[in-house]
Amino acid sequence: MSNDSIFKTFLVAFLLCVVCSILVCLAAIVRIDKEAYNKQLEIRKTVLIAGGFQQQIDDGGNIDELFTANMELKLVDLATGEYTTAVDAATYDQKEAIDNPELSEKIPADLDLAGIGTRAKYAAVYLEKSGTVILPIRGAGMWGPMYGYIAIANDGSTVKGFTFYQHAETPGLGAEVDNPNWKKQWPNKQLYSKSGRLALKVVKKGAYDPNAADANNTIDGIAGSTVTGSKVNNIIRYWFGENGYAPFLNKLKAKRG
């Protein structure tokens, strides 16, 4: 058969298309795998920062190694406050669960302090080897949703760390929730009063009095961003009330004795 035959021309073209398609598919798979890994790495980094490992990361510590050595992923049933194996923790995506009617529930408007509308039934939390738990939180910000983590000691009340990893707050104003100096206020603050009442609050910038009786439950707000401070306050009020993590933290405290 002649090398110039139409059949051979089409055959070469077909084989070239097949090879190119395979290469494109392989490249796409590699890209997807890399994106998934980068997403996981960012979550691990955020959890570690909330858990107090910022210095180790700044010193060049390997994020995967730090996470594997110090963190354990668990699921909490928010209705009971108990750890659960109802779904597979390794494959559970709390953000995706919000859109699944079987894994989420609508929040009555009068209880929806954080402005989230729907809440996943299970929370993906991280248990640090010292007993500290790192809890995901979210709520409406000024311009869009805010997502973060807060670390609570095994006494169920002492804040160990706090950070947002996603928000759309105004640069130079509400975006100051990322300011290390603002976040430094959170460690050792108390979520609850001695009587067990939710007491942690964010006040308007300048209203914080370090000598006040409730200073240990108060976060000084952000200059020029009263709205963002109020939104953060609402997020705290929802997630650490009875419809959020309060049942879980009460059980954590009881186990500690």
Side-chain angles (χ1 to χ4, degrees):
M1 183 180 293
S2 170
N3 288 333
D4 296 327
S5 70
I6 294 176
F7 174 77
K8 282 194 173 182
T9 300
F10 277 109
L11 179 62
V12 170
F14 172 75
L15 292 175
L16 182 61
C17 288
V18 170
V19 171
C20 289
S21 296
I22 292 172
L23 292 175
V24 169
C25 288
L26 289 174
I29 290 171
V30 170
R31 179 178 60 81
I32 291 171
D33 286 346
K34 186 176 181 180
E35 288 179 352
Y37 172 73
N38 287 339
K39 179 181 177 182
Q40 181 191 60
L41 191 67
E42 188 61 29
I43 290 174
R44 289 185 167 190
K45 181 179 178 180
T46 305
V47 169
L48 286 167
I49 290 172
F53 289 83
Q54 180 71 68
Q55 190 59 56
Q56 289 92 321
I57 293 172
D58 291 344
D59 290 341
N62 181 282
I63 291 173
D64 284 325
E65 291 177 1
L66 283 171
F67 186 90
T68 301
N70 294 282
M71 299 293 175
E72 179 184 4
L73 172 62
K74 291 198 171 191
L75 295 185
V76 171
D77 185 328
L78 291 172
T80 65
E82 298 281 0
Y83 289 122
T84 180
T85 56
V87 293
D88 182 13
T91 58
Y92 180 71
D93 188 316
Q94 193 167 336
K95 285 187 177 181
E96 291 183 359
I98 295 167
D99 297 320
N100 185 337
E102 294 183 359
L103 296 175
S104 63
E105 57 184 27
K106 296 290 183 181
I107 304 172
D110 60 323
L111 300 177
D112 191 14
L113 304 176
I116 56 179
T118 304
R119 185 201 72 185
K121 292 180 179 179
Y122 309 117
V125 309
Y126 297 88
L127 181 63
E128 197 260 332
K129 61 182 181 181
S130 70
T132 294
V133 290
I134 295 90
L135 310 172
I137 55 174
R138 70 182 180 96
M142 185 172 180
W143 301 114
M146 304 176 75
Y147 294 88
Y149 286 99
I150 186 167
I152 309 297
N154 64 358
D155 63 1
S157 182
T158 303
V159 178
K160 303 294 287 183
F162 177 81
T163 189
F164 283 109
Y165 65 89
Q166 181 181 328
H167 62 77
E169 301 307 282
T170 307
L173 296 173
E176 286 297 291
V177 293
D178 294 329
N179 190 317
N181 289 327
W182 189 72
K183 292 192 289 187
K184 281 180 182 177
Q185 295 185 75
W186 291 78
N188 298 316
K189 295 292 184 176
Q190 297 295 314
L191 283 170
Y192 304 100
S193 66
K194 291 181 179 179
S195 65
R197 178 181 60 85
L198 178 58
L200 186 63
K201 59 186 179 295
V202 179
V203 299
K204 187 176 180 179
K205 178 65 177 178
Y208 170 68
D209 179 0
N211 298 313
D214 63 351
N216 209 29
N217 307 112
T218 306
I219 301 292
D220 198 14
I222 301 166
S225 190
T226 302
V227 173
T228 296
S230 178
K231 295 292 187 181
V232 174
N233 196 56
N234 288 339
I235 291 171
I236 295 298
R237 288 175 61 208
Y238 177 76
W239 284 105
F240 295 98
E242 289 303 317
N243 297 293
Y245 292 118
F248 169 68
L249 293 177
N250 285 336
K251 287 183 170 59
L252 192 71
K253 182 178 180 180
K255 289 177 182 177
R256 180 175 184 252

